[in-house]
Amino acid sequence: MTELKPGDRVEWDSSGGHSVGKVVEKVTKPTAIKGHKVAASPENPEFVVESDKGGKAAHKPEALKKSTAKAAGKPKAGAKPKAADKPKAAAEPKAGAKPKAAAKSKAK
């Protein structure tokens, strides 16, 4: 695998499912993240990653794969929303159309 560096987009699988994010830093000495021990060393480095959902964790290089997925995020200030981002309006019934409940007749 090519060497990862801060800012690289990566993806990984964890107990919470598949995640995508970016490399924050390479760790080469023991440390802790969110109360969890990270047993990193120069011979066995780990990478601190931040998921697009905001969580941080450390992973071994073999658990990470470079990703081509773009970062999920907020649109830039002043950017116009795309059609897919706009809320969809409820369909208006056609003039003269009967409500669905009234259109069905019960046969006895």
Side-chain angles (χ1 to χ4, degrees), residues 35-50:
H36 296 280
K37 292 180 182 178
V38 178
S41 69
E43 297 81 25
N44 295 303
E46 295 200 24
F47 290 90
V48 176
V49 293
E50 182 176 10

Side-chain angles (χ1 to χ4, degrees), residues 19-60:
S19 295
V20 179
K22 67 178 178 178
V23 173
V24 176
E25 69 177 309
K26 181 178 182 177
V27 180
T28 56
K29 60 183 180 180
T31 189
I33 296 178
K34 297 191 310 187
H36 296 280
K37 292 180 182 178
V38 178
S41 69
E43 297 81 25
N44 295 303
E46 295 200 24
F47 290 90
V48 176
V49 293
E50 182 176 10
S51 77
D52 288 347
K53 295 178 183 176
K56 282 189 179 179
H59 291 288
K60 296 182 182 298

Side-chain angles (χ1 to χ4, degrees), residues 8-27:
D8 282 350
R9 299 283 306 153
V10 290
E11 53 188 87
W12 63 95
D13 291 318
S14 65
S15 59
H18 188 77
S19 295
V20 179
K22 67 178 178 178
V23 173
V24 176
E25 69 177 309
K26 181 178 182 177
V27 180

